[in-house]
Amino acid sequence: MDSTSGRGGDAEGRHVPVLLERCVDLLAPALEAPGSVCVDATLGMGGHTEAILARCPQARVIGLDRDPEAIALASERLASFGERFTAVHAVYDEVAEVLEREADGTALAILFDLGVSSFQLDEADRGFAYRHDAPLDMRMDQSTGRTAADVLNTYEHGELARILKTYGEERFAGRIASAILREREKEPFTTSARLVEVLRTAVPAASQRTGGHPAKRTFQALRIEVNAELAVWERAVEAAIGALAPHGRIVVLSYHSLEDRIAKQALARGAHSRTPAGMPVERPEDAAYLRLLTRGAEVPSEAEQHANPRSASARLRAAERLQPNGASV
Protein backbone atom coordinates (compact mmCIF):
# COMPACT_ATOMS: atom_id res chain seq x y z
CA MET A 1 0.00 0.00 0.00
CA ASP A 2 1.46 3.27 -1.07
CA SER A 3 0.63 6.90 -0.62
CA THR A 4 1.52 9.92 -2.64
CA SER A 5 1.72 13.61 -2.11
CA GLY A 6 1.00 14.42 -5.71
CA ARG A 7 0.34 13.15 -9.20
CA GLY A 8 3.95 13.15 -10.34
CA GLY A 9 5.08 11.12 -13.32
CA ASP A 10 7.94 9.09 -11.88
CA ALA A 11 7.63 6.20 -9.48
CA GLU A 12 9.71 7.71 -6.70
CA GLY A 13 7.60 10.84 -6.52
CA ARG A 14 4.37 8.87 -6.38
CA HIS A 15 5.26 6.21 -3.87
CA VAL A 16 5.68 6.19 -0.09
CA PRO A 17 5.95 2.56 1.12
CA VAL A 18 4.29 1.59 4.38
CA LEU A 19 6.49 0.47 7.30
CA LEU A 20 9.50 0.70 5.02
CA GLU A 21 12.27 0.63 7.63
CA ARG A 22 10.63 -2.14 9.64
CA CYS A 23 10.25 -4.34 6.55
CA VAL A 24 13.89 -3.88 5.60
CA ASP A 25 15.05 -4.46 9.19
CA LEU A 26 13.22 -7.79 9.24
CA LEU A 27 14.48 -8.98 5.85
CA ALA A 28 18.09 -7.71 5.92
CA PRO A 29 19.55 -10.40 8.26
CA ALA A 30 18.67 -13.06 5.67
CA LEU A 31 20.35 -11.15 2.82
CA GLU A 32 23.95 -10.86 3.95
CA ALA A 33 25.52 -13.57 1.78
CA PRO A 34 26.66 -12.78 -1.78
CA GLY A 35 23.94 -13.57 -4.31
CA SER A 36 21.16 -13.78 -1.72
CA VAL A 37 17.79 -13.75 -3.48
CA CYS A 38 14.89 -11.63 -2.29
CA VAL A 39 11.46 -11.68 -3.91
CA ASP A 40 9.34 -8.53 -3.76
CA ALA A 41 6.15 -10.33 -4.69
CA THR A 42 4.15 -7.09 -4.96
CA LEU A 43 6.61 -4.77 -6.67
CA GLY A 44 4.31 -1.78 -7.16
CA MET A 45 6.38 1.38 -7.59
CA GLY A 46 9.52 -0.33 -6.28
CA GLY A 47 9.94 1.56 -3.02
CA HIS A 48 10.52 -1.48 -0.82
CA THR A 49 12.84 -3.04 -3.43
CA GLU A 50 14.89 0.15 -3.69
CA ALA A 51 15.40 0.21 0.08
CA ILE A 52 16.35 -3.49 0.19
CA LEU A 53 18.90 -3.14 -2.63
CA ALA A 54 20.42 -0.07 -0.96
CA ARG A 55 20.64 -1.70 2.50
CA CYS A 56 21.75 -5.16 1.32
CA PRO A 57 24.52 -4.73 -1.27
CA GLN A 58 25.11 -8.49 -1.60
CA ALA A 59 21.47 -9.24 -2.49
CA ARG A 60 19.49 -9.30 -5.71
CA VAL A 61 15.74 -8.73 -5.90
CA ILE A 62 13.20 -10.36 -8.19
CA GLY A 63 10.15 -8.09 -8.38
CA LEU A 64 6.73 -9.46 -9.37
CA ASP A 65 3.69 -7.48 -10.40
CA ARG A 66 0.58 -8.26 -12.41
CA ASP A 67 0.36 -4.67 -13.64
CA PRO A 68 2.57 -3.94 -16.69
CA GLU A 69 2.49 -0.21 -15.98
CA ALA A 70 3.83 -0.76 -12.47
CA ILE A 71 6.65 -2.91 -13.85
CA ALA A 72 7.62 -0.24 -16.36
CA LEU A 73 7.69 2.55 -13.77
CA ALA A 74 9.55 0.48 -11.15
CA SER A 75 12.09 -0.74 -13.70
CA GLU A 76 12.89 2.84 -14.62
CA ARG A 77 13.26 3.76 -10.96
CA LEU A 78 15.57 0.80 -10.25
CA ALA A 79 17.65 0.86 -13.43
CA SER A 80 20.75 2.05 -11.56
CA PHE A 81 20.94 -1.30 -9.72
CA GLY A 82 21.58 -3.11 -12.99
CA GLU A 83 21.48 -6.91 -12.86
CA ARG A 84 20.73 -6.89 -9.12
CA PHE A 85 17.07 -6.24 -10.03
CA THR A 86 14.87 -8.40 -12.23
CA ALA A 87 11.25 -7.50 -13.02
CA VAL A 88 8.74 -10.25 -13.82
CA HIS A 89 5.16 -9.82 -15.05
CA ALA A 90 3.38 -12.35 -12.82
CA VAL A 91 0.73 -12.70 -10.13
CA TYR A 92 2.21 -13.34 -6.70
CA ASP A 93 0.82 -16.86 -6.38
CA GLU A 94 3.29 -17.73 -9.17
CA VAL A 95 6.23 -17.05 -6.83
CA ALA A 96 7.48 -20.67 -6.84
CA GLU A 97 7.41 -20.91 -10.65
CA VAL A 98 9.21 -17.56 -10.97
CA LEU A 99 11.93 -18.70 -8.57
CA GLU A 100 12.43 -21.89 -10.57
CA ARG A 101 13.04 -19.78 -13.69
CA GLU A 102 14.99 -16.90 -12.18
CA ALA A 103 16.96 -18.52 -9.33
CA ASP A 104 17.55 -21.99 -7.89
CA GLY A 105 13.94 -22.41 -6.79
CA THR A 106 14.37 -20.87 -3.34
CA ALA A 107 14.68 -17.41 -1.80
CA LEU A 108 16.13 -16.06 1.41
CA ALA A 109 13.60 -13.23 1.71
CA ILE A 110 10.06 -12.75 0.41
CA LEU A 111 7.98 -9.60 0.87
CA PHE A 112 4.25 -9.16 0.27
CA ASP A 113 2.65 -5.70 0.43
CA LEU A 114 -0.99 -6.49 -0.31
CA GLY A 115 -2.27 -2.94 -0.63
CA VAL A 116 -3.30 -1.28 -3.87
CA SER A 117 -0.57 1.08 -5.01
CA SER A 118 -1.28 4.78 -5.13
CA PHE A 119 -0.91 5.24 -8.82
CA GLN A 120 -3.72 2.72 -9.32
CA LEU A 121 -5.90 4.48 -6.77
CA ASP A 122 -5.09 7.94 -8.07
CA GLU A 123 -5.12 7.40 -11.83
CA ALA A 124 -8.59 8.45 -12.94
CA ASP A 125 -8.88 5.88 -15.73
CA ARG A 126 -8.24 2.82 -13.56
CA GLY A 127 -11.64 2.82 -11.84
CA PHE A 128 -10.34 2.08 -8.33
CA ALA A 129 -11.11 5.47 -6.84
CA TYR A 130 -14.64 6.52 -5.97
CA ARG A 131 -13.65 10.20 -5.99
CA HIS A 132 -13.00 10.17 -9.77
CA ASP A 133 -15.51 9.36 -12.49
CA ALA A 134 -13.92 6.57 -14.52
CA PRO A 135 -14.75 3.33 -16.33
CA LEU A 136 -15.60 0.62 -13.80
CA ASP A 137 -12.57 -1.55 -14.50
CA MET A 138 -10.58 -2.24 -11.27
CA ARG A 139 -8.40 -4.95 -12.83
CA MET A 140 -4.78 -4.93 -11.65
CA ASP A 141 -3.87 -6.35 -15.05
CA GLN A 142 -6.06 -4.59 -17.57
CA SER A 143 -5.23 -7.11 -20.29
CA THR A 144 -7.29 -9.96 -18.87
CA GLY A 145 -10.31 -10.93 -16.79
CA ARG A 146 -13.71 -9.47 -15.90
CA THR A 147 -14.19 -5.87 -14.86
CA ALA A 148 -16.09 -4.33 -11.96
CA ALA A 149 -18.81 -3.37 -14.45
CA ASP A 150 -19.14 -7.04 -15.42
CA VAL A 151 -19.68 -7.94 -11.77
CA LEU A 152 -22.25 -5.20 -11.19
CA ASN A 153 -24.19 -5.98 -14.36
CA THR A 154 -24.27 -9.80 -14.18
CA TYR A 155 -24.14 -11.03 -10.57
CA GLU A 156 -27.39 -12.10 -8.89
CA HIS A 157 -28.58 -10.34 -5.75
CA GLY A 158 -27.31 -13.00 -3.33
CA GLU A 159 -23.83 -13.12 -4.83
CA LEU A 160 -23.52 -9.34 -4.88
CA ALA A 161 -24.66 -9.09 -1.27
CA ARG A 162 -22.19 -11.81 -0.27
CA ILE A 163 -19.13 -10.10 -1.72
CA LEU A 164 -20.17 -6.70 -0.33
CA LYS A 165 -20.61 -8.14 3.15
CA THR A 166 -17.58 -10.46 3.13
CA TYR A 167 -15.00 -8.42 1.23
CA GLY A 168 -16.25 -4.95 2.06
CA GLU A 169 -17.57 -5.63 5.56
CA GLU A 170 -20.58 -3.60 4.43
CA ARG A 171 -23.48 -3.52 6.92
CA PHE A 172 -26.00 -2.59 4.22
CA ALA A 173 -24.93 -5.21 1.67
CA GLY A 174 -28.43 -6.49 0.92
CA ARG A 175 -29.85 -3.01 0.58
CA ILE A 176 -27.05 -1.96 -1.77
CA ALA A 177 -27.38 -5.13 -3.87
CA SER A 178 -31.10 -4.41 -4.33
CA ALA A 179 -30.38 -0.84 -5.41
CA ILE A 180 -27.76 -2.02 -7.92
CA LEU A 181 -30.17 -4.52 -9.48
CA ARG A 182 -32.88 -1.86 -9.80
CA GLU A 183 -30.51 0.61 -11.45
CA ARG A 184 -28.96 -1.84 -13.89
CA GLU A 185 -32.41 -2.69 -15.24
CA LYS A 186 -32.63 0.93 -16.41
CA GLU A 187 -29.13 0.97 -17.88
CA PRO A 188 -25.98 -1.13 -17.35
CA PHE A 189 -23.28 0.33 -15.11
CA THR A 190 -20.25 1.66 -16.98
CA THR A 191 -18.70 4.43 -14.84
CA SER A 192 -17.91 4.97 -11.19
CA ALA A 193 -19.85 8.23 -10.73
CA ARG A 194 -23.19 6.54 -11.32
CA LEU A 195 -22.36 3.78 -8.87
CA VAL A 196 -21.33 6.35 -6.25
CA GLU A 197 -24.68 8.12 -6.64
CA VAL A 198 -26.54 4.83 -6.15
CA LEU A 199 -24.51 4.18 -3.01
CA ARG A 200 -25.19 7.66 -1.63
CA THR A 201 -28.90 6.87 -1.92
CA ALA A 202 -28.72 3.29 -0.62
CA VAL A 203 -26.54 3.86 2.46
CA PRO A 204 -28.47 5.59 5.28
CA ALA A 205 -27.48 9.20 5.91
CA ALA A 206 -26.68 8.53 9.56
CA SER A 207 -24.14 5.89 8.56
CA GLN A 208 -22.57 8.26 6.04
CA ARG A 209 -22.01 10.85 8.78
CA THR A 210 -20.10 8.40 11.00
CA GLY A 211 -18.82 5.64 8.72
CA GLY A 212 -16.88 7.53 6.07
CA HIS A 213 -17.58 7.72 2.36
CA PRO A 214 -20.56 5.50 1.41
CA ALA A 215 -18.65 4.02 -1.56
CA LYS A 216 -15.47 3.00 0.27
CA ARG A 217 -16.51 -0.51 1.32
CA THR A 218 -18.30 -1.35 -1.93
CA PHE A 219 -15.32 -0.31 -4.05
CA GLN A 220 -13.00 -2.39 -1.86
CA ALA A 221 -15.26 -5.42 -2.23
CA LEU A 222 -15.44 -5.06 -6.01
CA ARG A 223 -11.66 -4.75 -6.29
CA ILE A 224 -11.10 -7.90 -4.23
CA GLU A 225 -13.66 -9.83 -6.29
CA VAL A 226 -12.42 -8.64 -9.69
CA ASN A 227 -8.84 -9.61 -8.89
CA ALA A 228 -9.68 -12.78 -6.90
CA GLU A 229 -7.36 -11.34 -4.28
CA LEU A 230 -8.16 -13.65 -1.37
CA ALA A 231 -7.97 -16.89 -3.38
CA VAL A 232 -4.70 -15.74 -4.94
CA TRP A 233 -3.35 -14.74 -1.52
CA GLU A 234 -4.17 -18.11 0.05
CA ARG A 235 -2.18 -19.85 -2.69
CA ALA A 236 0.61 -17.28 -2.61
CA VAL A 237 1.43 -17.39 1.09
CA GLU A 238 1.70 -21.18 1.11
CA ALA A 239 3.82 -21.15 -2.05
CA ALA A 240 6.11 -18.51 -0.56
CA ILE A 241 6.62 -20.40 2.69
CA GLY A 242 7.43 -23.50 0.67
CA ALA A 243 9.97 -21.59 -1.43
CA LEU A 244 11.88 -20.15 1.54
CA ALA A 245 15.36 -21.55 2.09
CA PRO A 246 16.39 -22.40 5.68
CA HIS A 247 16.95 -19.15 7.62
CA GLY A 248 14.93 -17.33 4.95
CA ARG A 249 12.40 -14.73 6.05
CA ILE A 250 8.90 -13.78 4.94
CA VAL A 251 7.27 -10.40 5.66
CA VAL A 252 3.58 -9.71 4.99
CA LEU A 253 1.82 -6.33 4.99
CA SER A 254 -1.96 -6.71 4.77
CA TYR A 255 -4.74 -4.14 4.86
CA HIS A 256 -7.93 -6.17 5.21
CA SER A 257 -8.99 -8.40 8.10
CA LEU A 258 -9.44 -11.43 5.82
CA GLU A 259 -5.97 -10.98 4.28
CA ASP A 260 -4.45 -10.69 7.73
CA ARG A 261 -6.31 -13.77 8.96
CA ILE A 262 -4.93 -15.85 6.08
CA ALA A 263 -1.40 -14.65 6.86
CA LYS A 264 -1.82 -15.24 10.60
CA GLN A 265 -3.11 -18.78 10.12
CA ALA A 266 -0.43 -19.77 7.59
CA LEU A 267 2.42 -18.49 9.76
CA ALA A 268 0.92 -19.97 12.94
CA ARG A 269 0.62 -23.41 11.33
CA GLY A 270 4.29 -23.36 10.52
CA ALA A 271 5.32 -22.15 13.98
CA HIS A 272 3.67 -24.99 15.91
CA SER A 273 4.76 -28.58 16.33
CA ARG A 274 2.43 -31.18 14.87
CA THR A 275 3.64 -33.92 17.21
CA PRO A 276 0.62 -36.02 18.29
CA ALA A 277 -0.32 -35.91 21.97
CA GLY A 278 1.43 -38.62 23.94
CA MET A 279 4.26 -39.04 21.44
CA PRO A 280 7.47 -39.36 23.52
CA VAL A 281 9.78 -37.99 20.79
CA GLU A 282 9.14 -35.32 18.19
CA ARG A 283 9.77 -36.56 14.67
CA PRO A 284 11.56 -34.07 12.39
CA GLU A 285 8.60 -33.98 10.01
CA ASP A 286 6.34 -32.90 12.89
CA ALA A 287 8.56 -30.09 14.17
CA ALA A 288 7.74 -26.42 13.66
CA TYR A 289 9.25 -25.15 10.42
CA LEU A 290 8.77 -21.43 11.09
CA ARG A 291 9.76 -19.05 13.89
CA LEU A 292 7.53 -16.01 14.30
CA LEU A 293 9.45 -12.72 14.21
CA THR A 294 6.55 -10.50 15.30
CA ARG A 295 4.29 -10.75 18.33
CA GLY A 296 0.88 -10.63 16.78
CA ALA A 297 0.45 -8.02 14.06
CA GLU A 298 2.49 -4.82 14.13
CA VAL A 299 0.89 -1.54 13.02
CA PRO A 300 2.30 1.77 11.73
CA SER A 301 3.11 4.45 14.28
CA GLU A 302 0.72 7.31 14.82
CA ALA A 303 3.18 9.58 13.03
CA GLU A 304 3.21 7.35 9.94
CA GLN A 305 -0.57 7.04 9.94
CA HIS A 306 -0.87 10.81 10.12
CA ALA A 307 1.61 11.32 7.27
CA ASN A 308 0.12 8.50 5.18
CA PRO A 309 -3.57 7.98 6.01
CA ARG A 310 -3.76 4.96 3.71
CA SER A 311 -1.39 3.12 6.06
CA ALA A 312 -3.88 3.15 8.95
CA SER A 313 -5.24 -0.34 8.29
CA ALA A 314 -1.84 -1.96 7.68
CA ARG A 315 -0.88 -5.07 9.68
CA LEU A 316 2.62 -6.54 9.52
CA ARG A 317 3.57 -10.16 10.26
CA ALA A 318 6.89 -11.93 9.72
CA ALA A 319 8.51 -15.34 10.20
CA GLU A 320 11.80 -17.17 9.63
CA ARG A 321 12.19 -20.60 8.03
CA LEU A 322 13.73 -23.14 10.41
CA GLN A 323 13.81 -26.34 8.37
CA PRO A 324 14.25 -27.36 4.73
CA ASN A 325 11.13 -27.21 2.65
CA GLY A 326 10.40 -30.92 2.78
CA ALA A 327 9.80 -30.75 6.53
CA SER A 328 6.54 -28.85 6.09
CA VAL A 329 4.95 -31.30 3.66
Side-chain angles (χ1 to χ4, degrees):
M1 173 74 71
D2 320 316
S3 182
T4 178
S5 57
R7 294 288 304 280
D10 60 40
E12 188 171 2
R14 303 162 74 182
H15 177 84
V16 179
V18 174
L19 286 166
L20 176 62
E21 292 301 320
R22 181 57 173 151
C23 289
V24 178
D25 287 346
L26 285 163
L27 294 172
L31 296 170
E32 295 175 350
S36 300
V37 173
C38 173
V39 176
D40 185 344
T42 47
L43 177 63
M45 296 291 88
H48 283 108
T49 286
E50 182 178 55
I52 291 165
L53 289 168
R55 173 85 73 87
C56 307
Q58 304 280 8
R60 58 180 288 244
V61 176
I62 301 169
L64 280 59
D65 208 289
R66 65 169 70 181
D67 190 325
E69 186 178 353
I71 286 179
L73 289 167
S75 295
E76 181 180 354
R77 176 180 188 170
L78 301 167
S80 63
F81 292 100
E83 294 183 355
R84 293 181 58 210
F85 171 68
T86 302
V88 179
H89 181 215
V91 184
Y92 47 69
D93 64 344
E94 300 173 89
V95 60
E97 293 91 330
V98 171
L99 280 168
E100 289 292 340
R101 294 197 308 268
E102 303 290 340
D104 65 357
T106 63
L108 279 162
I110 301 179
L111 170 67
F112 290 94
D113 180 350
L114 301 177
V116 182
S117 61
S118 285
F119 90 93
Q120 291 170 332
L121 288 170
D122 295 336
E123 292 295 310
D125 62 353
R126 299 302 294 265
F128 290 99
Y130 45 80
R131 299 187 189 281
H132 303 296
D133 188 21
L136 280 164
D137 192 316
M138 298 196 192
R139 292 172 298 172
M140 302 288 190
D141 182 349
Q142 292 184 301
S143 68
T144 185
R146 67 190 165 204
T147 66
D150 294 331
V151 172
L152 290 167
N153 293 325
T154 63
Y155 278 30
E156 298 298 329
H157 181 278
E159 191 66 1
L160 268 178
R162 181 190 66 80
I163 68 168
L164 294 175
K165 182 176 181 180
T166 304
Y167 300 159
E169 299 174 296
E170 175 57 71
R171 292 168 52 202
F172 306 103
R175 183 170 175 165
I176 290 171
S178 295
I180 289 170
L181 263 64
R182 285 195 303 272
E183 283 298 313
R184 80 187 191 192
E185 288 181 3
K186 303 174 186 175
E187 184 181 351
F189 284 93
T190 58
T191 63
S192 55
R194 181 163 169 243
L195 176 59
V196 169
E197 285 306 308
V198 171
L199 295 169
R200 287 190 190 280
T201 302
V203 175
S207 178
Q208 294 186 40
R209 287 193 292 271
T210 59
H213 197 288
K216 178 179 180 180
R217 290 172 292 279
T218 293
F219 272 59
Q220 173 180 280
L222 289 170
R223 190 202 79 221
I224 290 172
E225 174 69 9
V226 164
N227 296 289
E229 291 179 25
L230 294 178
V232 171
W233 174 227
E234 286 183 329
R235 295 192 298 270
V237 68
E238 295 295 347
I241 291 169
L244 277 180
H247 309 297
R249 293 183 167 205
I250 180 172
V251 171
V252 176
L253 274 170
S254 58
Y255 301 81
H256 185 281
S257 60
L258 295 178
E259 292 172 342
D260 182 54
R261 185 183 308 163
I262 291 167
K264 176 182 178 180
Q265 291 173 346
L267 298 184
R269 278 195 299 272
H272 287 86
S273 171
R274 292 161 294 165
T275 301
M279 194 76 131
V281 178
E282 181 179 64
R283 299 176 302 176
E285 60 266 32
D286 292 330
Y289 52 89
L290 294 176
R291 176 175 70 91
L292 300 182
L293 298 173
T294 53
R295 296 188 63 182
E298 297 183 3
V299 301
S301 66
E302 289 187 10
E304 179 167 1
Q305 292 183 43
H306 178 73
N308 179 1
R310 289 179 182 160
S311 73
S313 60
R315 300 292 181 270
L316 182 149
R317 297 182 187 271
E320 180 180 32
R321 185 89 199 196
L322 299 176
Q323 299 190 52
N325 294 351
S328 67
V329 177

